[in-house]
Amino acid sequence: MSKREAFLESACKENVEDFLRFIQLHKDKTDPFDVEEVVQEMPRDQRQTLWRKLASLLQDVLQELPPERWEETESAVDPKPVMAVVDAVTQVAALSVKVLQDDDTYDALVEIAHRLQDALVSLSVSEAPLQLHIHTLCEVWWKKGLTEKEKFGRTAFLISLQKSFILKKPGVEIQRVWSLRDVLLSLDYSSEDNKQIIDLLLQCFHRPTYIKCDDGKRFLVFLFSWNVNFIWVIHGTIKNQLEFYTKTLTTHIMEIYFRAWKKAGGEFQEQIESSCIQDFMQNAIFLHRSSPVHTKVRQIVSYFHSRKGCHQVDRMLHNLYKPILWKSLSVPNFEVRANATLLFTEAFPLHDPDQNTKDIDAAIQKQLDTAMALLNDPHPTVRSNAILGVCKILAKCWDVLPPAIITDFLKKLVVELAADSSSPDVRCSVFKCLNIVLDNALSYPILEKLLPTVKYSLHDNSEKVRTAFLDMLIKVKAMRAAKFWDVCNMDHLLARLAIDSQSVSKRIVDLLFKSFFPVNESEREWCCRCITLIQMNPMAARKFYQYAHKHTAPTNIIKLMLAIRRILNSCIQTDCDQSDMNEGNKENSAQAEPLLGKDTAIVSRLLEVVVILWRSVEKALRQNKEAQNYTFAKFGNVLSKYFQAFEDEQCTVPLIQLAAFMPPAAVPTFSCGILSRLRRMEEGSAPAQYNQLLDCMCSWGQTSDILELITDWLAEALPKQGDKVSAGRKVRIQETVEAKPDLALAYLEYLFSHRSAREKVLDLGEKPLKQLHTVLGSWRSVLYTHLASSTADPKGPGVETALRVFVFHGRLGAHLQHSSSEGREYLLSLEHVVAWLAERVLPFLTKNPEEKEEEEGRPEKSRPLAAQITESFLTVCRDVLLVGLGDKEFKGQILHLCSLTLLSEAGYLCIPAVLPILKEVADGYVPVDDNQEDPNNVVLGVVANIFQKIIELLARRLRKEPEEGKQLSRAAVPSLTDFLQVAQMWDTTPLCGIFSTLFAVIVVEKRHLLQKITHPEEVIAPESVEDMPPLSSVLLSVIIKSPPVTRAFLKEVGSSLDSEAISSLNELTAILHVLSVVKHAGQAKAGLKSAATAIQQQLHKHAVPSSDGGDLQRVIYESSVKTLNQILDL
């Protein structure tokens, strides 16, 4: 029996094992058995017999276990053999379809295909072999065009579409979808049966894989030609998705639209134009510029503009813009005009190519007139857009525009709009957009004549205009359109370089770099240009060389430094560097010397230039040790002679900075005497005299010597007890110099105020710093002596010095706590100061009448000094809290000190220092749900109580001493503003009670004023905070300064009114007066009307009959009604 006959025999349920074995042989590439060849070689009768037997086999196995039960885990029949048979039948059927002859009767194949299709529909979409083979059968059936191909083609298309969404690499499946695209033409778009496919087709526009790949893009273009009603649905889907498209995806989308439009014809093209392209045009005009899709809509429309020049595109743009663009250029809304201006100038010229030449010329002239009119638009945004558009038109159409029109446009831009005093944006646009014109070389002759008229724009009061002007000059220089120094004088450029910001200065350096640092010239020429620049403008020279390293290699910077060194050497006629003095260098020196002579100013500027250049390449030198050592050697062997020759202070400062760049061994003479110079410095010396020396020592790693000197001076300045002298310290330098505590503090202030120096101090480790911290803490005794004594010791340290030491003790403690990896030792030292203040200082703020005699013995300065000490310490604690160093215990101690301070008789003096503490403590917690058990609420409750006490003290001072109270209130305003900004974020207790306190104080003060009124004429509603009582005036000025604070306050007003805590007419009137002030400030209109409505509901209860003649209450009531109506705008 042949294999063909054996294969035919096996196609039944009884021989199913043999059938599966044949299929396995077919899959085996090494075996010659091929089902496709066998079926093709069979006579027609055998093929039909085979198909009938396969149909019967498939029917039997599917009846045994239907497909819907294949995925059941508890099935009695194992699904794997069944699926293997179905898969085998599917493969034979698919191969049979491929070799089907024209005269074959394939009813049995139709039956097989139907059963397999039903099985496929009931299975989930996946890459399993069975589903793949059935899918292939349906696809082959469609492509062969067999009976019921629409049904099988639809199935194949649907499965391919679904699989393209779930596969990680769907490229092949997208190709299959594209190959099956004609299936759509056989489907009814309006049928409910095809709704699933329509939804899937729309999802393709959500998938980047479809939008980006070529086959996917072709398929999406094809969808526009499926059904004319589907176009609008596609467009709506894309519009909804546009916000989420990236710029790249948007580029692909606009290409899809263009290709769809170009390939379409008849009603399809008309629908794409009206429903899609024109809709995008309208959105580009009417959308707000802040809309997230505006940029993408403009991108799509711009793509169509970029395809201009084609007859079909020109006609389409002309027809679509005609009904919407021209009227949009003259609407009242400036944003619409601005958007339309961009579209109009980008699409210029808009014309119908089917018109004759005369009509086209007339249309273009009208559009040019429109562009000129837009340059005169009253709104700056429209003018700016028109400038951009006109410059694009000039750059694109220069060679076809009449010269007169070009001249008119450029004069309008350069002469008028570049000097538009009403808008810096317009002036900026002129210079930014002239860069576009400069891209066209034909513009150079006329711009060369016009640009000098805008030279003073370099001094425009807007930085962005100056920046744009310089960018244009850089473009002029790069394009060689004109000589930039003819446009703007060199003196003006240098003057601006000397004083302007980094952004502007960098551009000027870019512009001038080749003029003053011609890298292709000799080093001697570099020096000559450097000296010329210094002579022209020394400040500009500093700035120029500060940015020079951005335009050339570090090697050239170092070469310039060494060239300047040679000039300086020739100035002092040194022979210390004979190795350099070859003939060329002698010539350079001889030629450079006359430029300097004995001009100290030039020498000092050259030294400054060397310092600036060295600083710019310091990092590069560190990375190249050989170059660094060479530079050290070259400058090290002449620096001591420079110090001798250039003794002027202008030269000394840069020389010290130069020395700081080098190791101390390179400048031994100078480095050995620097500490002695610091010791011999006079107290009261200007910072410039010691700052550079301190920097120098820090850069050499000798910070510990400075710290030891400071510690010694502060320790020695302390008053000694008897003849006891502190032992255990040895004097390292054998020279007797008196202690200079003020100078020590000046050194300390500099070290801690500059980041680089501070880092080196803190890197010394804990031991020397702790020693200094201890010495600083010892000065509290000096402070107390000044506080308690009536006469100052003329030989002892002054009170100002002691107070500064006291502050430094706290600051150093904060730095040490920050540097400490664990523990709270230095926070504890600050807490000890809290205890010392409470015990020794705060009593001086208390005036006890029973101790009058003792009080009279106290010095007059004690109370203000005690307040000053307390305020200074609270300021330090504020900084500790600000940087997040304070823990809960520390916060508790500081709040306790604040409470004790405010309870003192003169504690009100410290209110401006207490409020920042409250702000920092409150700012350290995050608002959470109201929870009375939360331990944080205890701390915040203390904050609220202290704030209430502050308000009471302010009210008391304003009542007893009005002038002093006003001065105190003004001093408290900044910190009160900051505190309320924090408090307004809390909707829960206890900080929400802050606004209750403010509201109560303001109402009570105003009510008290109303009760004192005796004449009806005095009942006047206030219009500003100045019309309110003193404390209310201060508090309201702070409240209405910030919209969030105002809203929080009005929320409290509404809450109080709703609780019916306000009962009297005077109280309601007081609240109305507060609301009147808020209304005139223009703040929180919603909260204002809500509070006014609540008052309206209560005010009618206090109505006074008009028959009561001149009754004061009636006047107050009528005034309140009038004020209420004004607030409600009735």
Side-chain angles (χ1 to χ4, degrees), residues 223-294:
L223 291 181
F224 279 88
S225 62
W226 176 33
N227 187 284
V228 72
N229 296 321
F230 193 44
I231 294 173
W232 175 246
V233 181
I234 293 173
H235 182 61
T237 301
I238 292 176
K239 281 173 63 179
N240 292 336
Q241 197 65 18
L242 199 57
E243 182 180 353
F244 310 103
Y245 287 151
T246 63
K247 188 174 182 180
T248 306
L249 280 181
T250 307
T251 303
H252 291 294
I253 286 292
M254 62 195 190
E255 186 181 344
I256 289 168
Y257 270 110
F258 183 78
R259 284 167 56 179
W261 169 79
K262 196 169 183 181
K263 289 186 176 183
E267 63 173 339
F268 283 91
Q269 191 175 66
E270 291 176 7
Q271 182 70 6
I272 292 172
E273 288 178 357
S274 61
S275 298
C276 305
I277 301 174
Q278 194 172 53
D279 183 55
F280 277 133
M281 290 174 172
Q282 288 179 320
N283 283 316
I285 292 173
F286 296 115
L287 273 175
H288 286 290
R289 299 175 78 184
S290 58
S291 167
V293 298
H294 180 263

Side-chain angles (χ1 to χ4, degrees), residues 1014-1016 1019 1065 1102-1118:
T1014 55
H1015 298 288
V1019 182
L1065 176 62
H1102 302 277
V1104 179
S1106 58
S1107 58
D1108 292 355
D1111 185 69
L1112 191 60
Q1113 287 296 100
R1114 182 179 59 79
V1115 175
I1116 292 175
Y1117 172 75
E1118 291 175 352

